[in-house]
Amino acid sequence: MSQILSLESFEVALGNDDVASADYNQGYQDGLAAGAAAAQAEAAVLDEAFVQALSDIDFTYAEARRQILQSLGPLFATLVDHVLPHCIETGFASQIADVLQKAAAADTSAPITLHVHPDTCDAVAARLADMKVQLKLKTDPSLSPHATWVQHGNGETLLDADKLLAEISDLLGIVLNEDDRIKSHG
């Protein structure tokens, strides 16, 4: 009882190798379309996640910036209200002396006229008494207490520390209130 082993041939006929069947072509097209659709769906999900991540980063940046500015607010207020006015009060006469020395170095032949506010005239005169410069000191009530107007042969110089302090205060106020403007105007 012997049984003969028989094998079935799965080879395509020799003449039909180049031509694919209609079922094969249809399956290939269906698989290609399904793969392209899956790739597009995955790309859309990734694009949405990327946009959300960028939005989260932007929100985090804006939130961190707002918190930093809010925490710096008291520091800026102290600088503008206390530190800078004290610096101006103690160093104003020295600033005037520097301006006068520059003016004298530019033109030593002409006298220098210094206009100051009446409240600061005595303090400025005492500070400048030891300078060896031809100097005329005049009071000018139109100037602020920490302003001086220096006239010399080649020109004029206005030193206004009060205006400078006001401009610094305005700039810091703009920085601190920028978020309020964005909220109210979109």
Side-chain angles (χ1 to χ4, degrees):
M1 300 211 185
S2 69
Q3 191 174 17
I4 297 178
L5 184 61
S6 74
L7 297 174
E8 183 179 349
S9 174
F10 291 104
E11 291 182 5
V12 179
L14 293 175
N16 294 337
D17 284 344
D18 294 339
V19 178
S21 68
D23 290 339
Y24 174 80
N25 284 336
Q26 184 60 40
Y28 179 80
Q29 292 300 324
D30 291 344
L32 183 62
Q40 286 179 346
E42 186 177 347
V45 168
L46 289 175
D47 286 346
E48 185 178 321
F50 182 68
V51 167
Q52 183 61 42
L54 285 178
S55 296
D56 292 344
I57 289 172
D58 186 44
F59 175 74
T60 304
Y61 170 77
E63 186 177 70
R65 183 177 183 277
R66 183 173 41 258
Q67 287 177 357
I68 288 172
L69 288 176
Q70 285 175 349
S71 65
L72 288 176
L75 172 67
F76 290 161
T78 301
L79 278 173
V80 170
D81 294 340
H82 302 290
V83 175
L84 293 177
H86 177 72
C87 291
I88 288 172
E89 190 71 37
T90 58
F92 186 63
S94 297
Q95 291 174 343
I96 294 173
D98 290 342
V99 169
L100 289 175
Q101 287 188 351
K102 288 177 185 175
D107 187 8
T108 56
S109 63
I112 298 173
T113 304
L114 181 66
H115 300 264
V116 294
H117 189 270
D119 293 344
T120 58
C121 186
D122 294 335
V124 170
R127 174 66 171 89
L128 301 177
D130 59 339
M131 289 188 67
K132 297 177 174 128
V133 176
Q134 295 178 3
L135 182 66
K136 294 179 186 175
L137 189 62
K138 294 184 178 182
T139 60
D140 187 348
S142 66
L143 294 172
S144 66
H146 296 107
T148 186
W149 175 28
V150 181
Q151 291 177 307
H152 51 90
N154 291 334
E156 301 175 340
T157 302
L158 177 65
L159 177 64
D160 192 348
D162 292 326
K163 184 176 180 182
L164 176 65
L165 182 61
E167 288 176 1
I168 290 171
S169 177
D170 290 346
L171 287 173
L172 291 177
I174 289 170
V175 168
L176 292 175
N177 295 326
E178 182 176 338
D179 289 333
D180 296 336
R181 290 184 301 145
I182 291 172
K183 287 178 190 173
S184 62
H185 297 293

